[in-house]
Amino acid sequence: MITKRIIPCLDVKDGQTVKGVQFENLIHAGDPVELAKKYFEDGADELVFLDITATNDKRKTILDVVEKVAKNVFIPFTVGGGIRSVQDIRDLLSAGADKVSLNTAAVEKPDLISQASSTFGAQCVTVSVDVRKYDGEYYVVIHAGHEKTKWKVLDWVKEIENLGAGEILLTSMDADGTKNGYDVEVTKLVSENTNLPVIASGGAGADVNHFIDVFKNGKADAALAASIFHFGLLPVPKLKAELCKAGIEIRL
Amino acid sequence: MITLLNYGGGNLQSVANLMNSLNVDYEITNDTKKILNAEKIIFPGQGHFGNVMENLKKNKLDEALKTALNRGVPFLGICVGLQVLFESSQEAVGVEGLSIFKGGCERFTKGKVPQIGWNRIKVQNNNTILNDDYFYFVNSYHVVAKDESIVSSKANYYDDFVASVEYKNIMATQFHIEKSGKAGAEVIKKFLLK
């Protein structure tokens, strides 16, 4: 049976990883290519790169990173952040990315999802869905969680499914950064109401139970985390071994 | 020298990157003459069954491939490079595949579609270069072979499905060898020695 996926996420700014990556034996921890190689060796199932480069003139740096990662890392990887057009997507895929992740642009220009899907295939179109709970109801938020949209999460999920999305990267902005665990409630809600694979994101702490919970109760197909891996708080091999012991289908 | 079939789409560069990392000589081509004279062919498929067949026919690569395969050139097909070896697909009704094998491609009817992720294959016979291991799959359709004896491995996605076929000089996998980490690299190495 298909296994649950563990996905480290790397934030990249101007071609360098950010978020204070700490690895004792890694001299160039700021180099996303070196870090990607380490996670590949560690048995990560996929990788996600989030380009948070603010200025347009430096946006080409991500293409350089993608090209180098593709030459060194032989597991699938997704690139998100700042993608506005079919041409942006073509550039990233040509450089070697396997999938792209669309976020704000997808909400503002939903046609981008259908164009991307019909041009490159649904399998490479991940739609990043950021949510926040308002008065007991989950809404989609954009611009890094700062702006609430009109979309209730399930309405938006149906919409992107119809537009041709291939996968959902679901981030709870309420849980993100707390390290108190994933938002299992919204993960279950989305996962049970879509036919697309769901990657849970936001809130993972250095606690295997957070992952067990989001896989077993949240019905997530994959779990994404950043700092717990970057800081070595819960290394990928240890996490996967523990999940396997807990009876979760995992690739060892 | 490995010939990588460039049919105008798909994951060609990923396969080329893997070849580079293994220091393997290869050429990327859509030249029918080079296909006909190839020592070994890899067909890195990705995308829509109908589009792939259309691209093959447009460049007369379909006939060249069939001739090369009949002549015994070792062949490795990946993903849609497996599916087009069969007669048809529910993905493109009315489009004829290369029809090297009898059978067709059917859509998964259970679970989330596409299947995305690492799945463990189970080897079905001894005549395979594969081992039971995890490989990376991204597919909505899977092949249903009339002749079970060509099936060299299966995996399970709510039901068992064909993960690879091997018959004489022809081998093809539903999984993405080029994205299956070390397990994938091992398959390529063994194919090169075959």
Side-chain angles (χ1 to χ4, degrees), chain A residues 3 41 45-46 74 98 191, chain B residues 112 118-119 136 179 181-182:
Chain A
T3 58
E41 294 294 329
D45 295 308
E46 282 184 29
F74 299 99
D98 297 285
S191 199
Chain B
K112 295 181 174 181
W118 297 80
N119 207 331
Y136 194 83
K179 287 288 158 182
K182 286 169 187 160

Side-chain angles (χ1 to χ4, degrees), chain A residues 73-185:
Chain A
V73 168
F74 299 99
I75 52 174
F77 66 97
T78 306
V79 182
I83 297 166
R84 314 292 304 176
S85 66
V86 168
Q87 189 57 44
D88 289 343
I89 298 170
R90 181 174 288 117
D91 290 345
L92 288 165
L93 296 177
S94 305
D98 297 285
K99 313 182 218 180
V100 293
S101 169
L102 308 174
N103 186 1
T104 299
V107 176
E108 292 178 345
K109 275 200 303 191
D111 284 354
L112 186 57
I113 300 173
S114 46
Q115 285 168 8
S117 185
S118 60
T119 311
F120 308 108
Q123 84 288 339
C124 64
V125 183
T126 300
V127 177
S128 182
V129 178
D130 294 352
V131 295
R132 233 185 241 288
K133 202 174 192 178
Y134 295 89
D135 296 326
E137 190 85 56
Y138 286 100
Y139 281 86
V140 176
V141 294
I142 53 174
H143 292 298
H146 294 305
E147 191 182 324
K148 184 186 171 190
T149 69
K150 63 175 184 181
W151 291 100
K152 286 182 185 172
V153 64
L154 288 188
D155 294 339
W156 178 238
V157 162
K158 277 287 151 243
E159 179 78 5
I160 61 174
E161 202 170 332
N162 291 335
L163 288 168
E167 190 172 38
I168 294 169
L169 171 53
L170 179 70
T171 303
S172 162
M173 299 308 280
D174 296 320
D176 199 32
T178 64
K179 295 200 168 60
N180 290 327
Y182 293 95
D183 187 333
V184 173
E185 185 189 342

Side-chain angles (χ1 to χ4, degrees), chain A residues 233-250:
Chain A
L233 303 174
L234 183 54
V236 173
K238 180 170 181 242
L239 169 62
K240 291 184 90 174
E242 295 280 335
L243 286 173
C244 196
K245 258 190 248 166
I248 309 261
E249 290 244 25
I250 213 90

Side-chain angles (χ1 to χ4, degrees), chain B:
Chain B
M1 171 77 87
I2 301 282
T3 301
L4 290 187
L5 178 65
N6 180 7
Y7 65 96
N11 43 347
L12 194 65
Q13 191 54 48
S14 299
V15 177
N17 286 340
L18 181 55
M19 295 290 150
N20 286 331
S21 82
L22 298 171
N23 289 319
V24 176
D25 275 342
Y26 64 89
E27 61 176 352
I28 294 173
T29 187
N30 63 355
D31 180 344
T32 52
K33 276 185 210 138
K34 287 186 173 165
I35 298 293
L36 288 167
N37 294 313
E39 286 170 43
K40 284 185 178 173
I41 300 170
I42 296 182
F43 181 178
Q46 192 175 52
H48 189 273
F49 185 96
N51 292 345
V52 172
M53 279 312 301
E54 193 185 316
N55 280 331
L56 289 177
K57 280 181 193 153
K58 200 165 59 190
N59 298 311
K60 298 202 162 56
L61 290 166
D62 54 337
E63 292 306 322
L65 261 181
K66 280 195 220 178
T67 307
L69 294 187
N70 282 331
R71 222 189 63 220
V73 177
F75 171 89
L76 175 59
I78 298 172
C79 195
V80 182
L82 159 73
Q83 297 187 352
V84 295
L85 299 178
F86 288 78
E87 296 165 299
S88 64
S89 175
Q90 289 178 351
E91 188 173 28
V93 175
V95 175
E96 199 195 338
L98 295 171
S99 302
I100 286 159
F101 298 127
K102 287 203 160 43
C105 309
E106 295 180 7
R107 193 174 166 88
F108 284 124
T109 54
K110 294 177 190 166
K112 295 181 174 181
V113 182
Q115 160 185 225
I116 299 182
W118 297 80
N119 207 331
R120 190 173 174 82
I121 65 160
K122 280 177 304 211
V123 165
Q124 300 293 303
N125 60 47
N126 295 326
N127 306 320
T128 174
I129 61 171
L130 298 170
N131 295 315
D132 288 7
D133 208 337
Y134 290 101
F135 291 93
Y136 194 83
F137 290 81
V138 182
N139 60 311
S140 300
Y141 298 82
H142 60 96
V143 303
V144 178
K146 286 245 167 72
D147 178 4
E148 271 281 316
S149 72
I150 65 169
V151 175
S152 59
S153 74
K154 287 188 176 180
N156 184 280
Y157 193 65
Y158 300 90
D159 291 313
D160 282 355
F161 69 93
V162 174
S164 66
V165 301
E166 281 174 72
Y167 178 74
K168 293 183 179 169
N169 54 312
I170 303 170
M171 167 173 185
T173 67
Q174 182 58 64
F175 46 87
H176 284 276
I177 291 169
E178 77 283 8
K179 287 288 158 182
S180 291
K182 286 169 187 160
E186 282 305 310
V187 175
I188 292 281
K189 281 189 211 159
K190 285 184 185 166
F191 173 71
L192 297 178
L193 293 173
K194 225 170 111 168

Side-chain angles (χ1 to χ4, degrees), chain A residues 2-16:
Chain A
I2 194 117
T3 58
K4 303 291 188 185
R5 287 171 279 155
I6 299 297
I7 308 179
C9 176
L10 288 73
D11 285 357
V12 180
K13 190 179 181 190
D14 303 337
Q16 292 287 305

